[in-house]
Amino acid sequence: MSRPVCEACGAHDLKLIGRKNGEFILREFTFHQCGGCGFMWVEPFSGFEIYNDAYYRGKGPDPYVDYEAEYQDWQRSDRALEFDDMARLAQKFFVTARPAPPAAEPPPPIAWLDFGCGAGGFLKYLRARGSLQGRPLELTGHDVGSYADLLKTREGFRILDWDELSRESTARYDVISLIEVIEHLPSPLEPLALAARLLKPGGLLLLTTGNLDSLIARRQGIHYRYCAPEIHVSLFNPACLAALYRRVGLSPCRVRYRGAVKFKVLKTLRLQPRSRRLARLALRLPPVVRLVDWLYGVSAMPCAVKPPR
Ligand SMILES: [Zn+2]
């Protein structure tokens, strides 16, 4: 085992908990866990080369991925449900966290970084929205690869690679979103420490990732479908995510997801149109959304705020 301490909480009590064969890369992977906080990780790391054009088309280890559809028309993508949800949560945060500026002054922009912006659907959603709580949105994305290049050159977005992002000034952003990104990173501490540095005091980190302490995940252990060892290499539960936030100087905060829960269901039914139609109908009922949320522990995963100075 290559790590001496837990990335999330710093404990030394680390153990091998199981082995599983990859379905895409046909080899054995090992799963490790911290006895202190429950953070899990996979070895060996398959590298970032796996995120290629085949992956973007859903022909890689994640059959649910469809970058091209999202890039071409985010409004027709199920992710629109998730985008609405994130904007709703940020709006709610700014209503409760910040007093409105005096009416005579122009409202200051909200600087928003979408870390791991992928095919750029969320950036396009935010651009179309234009403002939040009466404040204009100033958008930046972070990613690498062919879609990041297209977003930069064809769509005119400000897209930064890791080195450029690392050179950004401290306290630059009001909101940083990391939507289903952190589970892909073999070392989550470094990007979260950067996010913590780049957030303004009082700023919001909107982070989503799978919950390995949910009812469904606990029943299935490492055989849970989310534990795809080629791509999901850092696996979290609410306690270890909170520990990681505190390690980088952020305070965990609870949110209640709705659209993000619906999206997770519809995404997994991408290749089954009939079940999707039924699910879409069922998800109109709030108790169904709450039940799915409880089973998968979506809202149990905290987001974070940077403490005001
Ligand atoms: Zn730990």
Side-chain angles (χ1 to χ4, degrees):
M1 195 164 17
S2 57
R3 353 190 139 181
V5 296
C6 169
E7 282 242 345
C9 73
H12 293 266
D13 173 19
L14 312 177
K15 48 184 179 284
L16 174 70
I17 57 160
R19 299 169 192 274
K20 181 176 171 180
N21 289 324
E23 286 183 16
F24 185 74
I25 298 177
L26 301 177
R27 62 153 296 162
E28 187 184 75
F29 292 87
T30 53
F31 286 75
H32 306 262
Q33 188 168 37
C34 167
C37 71
F39 173 63
M40 283 167 60
W41 72 96
V42 172
E43 289 181 5
F45 174 55
S46 300
F48 289 113
E49 300 76 36
I50 204 164
Y51 302 103
N52 54 23
D53 287 338
Y55 176 85
Y56 297 148
R57 291 196 310 272
K59 304 288 181 207
D62 186 348
Y64 307 129
V65 164
D66 189 357
Y67 271 47
E68 188 56 23
E70 183 186 320
Y71 178 77
Q72 291 299 343
D73 190 356
W74 64 266
Q75 283 162 308
R76 293 189 59 196
S77 150
D78 292 325
R79 286 203 72 197
L81 289 162
E82 187 179 44
F83 302 156
D84 264 334
D85 211 19
M86 297 298 151
R88 174 184 65 84
L89 292 170
Q91 173 134 347
K92 194 171 158 202
F93 175 78
F94 283 109
V95 170
T96 50
R98 304 261 172 102
E105 289 178 26
I110 291 176
W112 189 312
L113 167 68
D114 190 29
F115 189 110
C117 59
F122 194 32
L123 287 174
K124 290 181 180 176
Y125 167 90
L126 292 170
R127 180 187 267 178
R129 198 179 165 113
S131 67
L132 203 68
Q133 202 51 26
R135 296 170 61 183
L137 291 167
E138 192 185 278
L139 304 172
T140 302
H142 159 66
D143 220 323
V144 291
S146 53
Y147 283 92
D149 294 340
L150 287 175
L151 289 168
K152 190 171 173 173
T153 54
R154 272 203 211 157
E155 315 278 335
F157 283 104
R158 181 171 188 260
I159 305 290
L160 306 180
D161 63 21
W162 175 261
D163 289 338
E164 291 165 329
L165 196 61
S166 303
R167 291 195 295 269
E168 288 274 86
S169 54
T170 296
R172 166 91 170 68
Y173 295 99
D174 297 279
V175 183
I176 298 180
S177 44
L178 269 104
I179 302 175
E180 304 294 313
V181 173
I182 198 148
E183 64 275 13
H184 295 270
L185 306 177
S187 179
L189 185 61
E190 199 182 355
L192 268 191
L194 177 61
R197 181 179 78 72
L198 295 179
L199 268 181
K200 292 179 186 174
L204 172 67
L205 177 71
L206 282 172
L207 183 150
T208 66
T209 187
N211 181 350
L212 270 287
D213 199 33
S214 66
L215 203 67
I216 299 284
R218 271 189 283 139
R219 281 178 72 96
Q220 300 178 10
I222 63 168
H223 301 290
Y224 182 29
R225 196 156 174 80
Y226 194 80
C227 296
E230 297 96 328
I231 48 170
H232 291 174
V233 295
S234 292
L235 300 157
F236 298 85
N237 61 55
C240 71
L241 191 54
L244 191 54
Y245 288 152
R246 291 194 192 94
R247 239 185 138 185
V248 297
L250 299 174
S251 305
C253 73
R254 289 293 301 272
V255 296
R256 170 67 67 184
Y257 295 108
R258 293 199 292 255
V261 176
K262 295 180 192 181
F263 166 65
K264 276 175 193 273
V265 176
L266 295 173
K267 173 184 169 176
T268 54
L269 298 173
R270 179 162 97 87
L271 306 172
Q272 300 161 53
R274 226 180 117 172
S275 309
R276 253 163 71 99
R277 278 198 294 277
L278 285 173
R280 219 179 255 286
L281 283 174
L283 290 167
R284 288 188 187 171
L285 304 170
V288 172
V289 178
R290 283 199 294 274
L291 176 66
V292 175
D293 190 5
W294 176 69
L295 286 171
Y296 288 89
V298 184
S299 298
M301 296 299 273
C303 284
V305 292
K306 184 162 170 174
R309 263 194 284 262

